[in-house]
Amino acid sequence: MRGALALVFLWFGALKVAHLSPVTELVADTLAFVPVPSWFAVPALGVFEIVVALALITGRWLRPVLPLLLLHLIGTFLVLALHPDIAFKDGHPLLLTIEGEFVIKNLVLIAGTLVVAVTLPPRRKTAHPADVPSAQQS
């Protein structure tokens, strides 16, 4: 699951960074309320997606990255609320456009992210200094 998610986020992120993503305009329009210019926001989002991919590939920093990834994926649903005319055919909530399908597929990415999160190994307990016998007690 980590590998599949990593591939998707590496691919999508690289397209955003290279200014080749087919959803650049959709992302920019959806983030219009953010006080950051879209020429910066969209590639920055791509960099974030590449960082997510690297975390998934290496297995490092997953505990802080996965909640941010979930927030990112949930944020993509703003398209449905802010641009229903783009996401739904004739305003019908069950008739998706290509853009609407692009957003709804994120339900699967959310599920995959949750699978990765719940299968993380337990955190290692670090010994409290009072619990470690000192050399004098030996």
Side-chain angles (χ1 to χ4, degrees):
M1 183 60 67
R2 281 181 27 207
L5 288 170
L7 176 63
V8 168
F9 285 103
L10 184 61
W11 197 338
F12 286 7
L15 289 173
K16 286 180 182 80
V17 169
H19 303 283
L20 298 172
S21 175
V23 297
T24 296
E25 189 175 323
L26 179 63
V27 172
D29 289 346
T30 303
L31 296 177
F33 67 92
V34 177
V36 175
S38 62
W39 60 263
F40 178 80
V42 175
L45 200 56
V47 169
F48 170 74
E49 291 174 348
I50 292 169
V51 168
V52 166
L54 294 175
L56 288 163
I57 290 166
T58 64
R60 294 178 157 239
W61 299 99
L62 286 176
R63 290 189 194 283
V65 166
L66 291 177
L68 295 174
L69 176 54
L70 283 173
L71 286 174
H72 165 60
L73 289 169
I74 291 167
T76 63
F77 289 91
L78 285 172
V79 171
L80 304 179
L82 299 177
H83 302 295
D85 53 315
I86 293 174
F88 303 106
K89 288 184 183 177
D90 303 321
H92 193 288
L94 297 179
L95 299 177
L96 297 169
T97 62
I98 291 172
E99 294 83 359
E101 286 187 10
F102 182 79
V103 171
I104 294 297
K105 67 97 177 76
N106 287 342
L107 289 172
V108 177
L109 297 177
I110 289 170
T113 301
L114 291 172
V115 166
V116 171
V118 300
T119 58
L120 287 175
R123 291 183 182 198
R124 289 182 277 159
K125 289 187 176 183
T126 56
H128 187 274
D131 297 335
V132 178
S134 67
Q136 296 171 347
Q137 293 176 340
S138 312

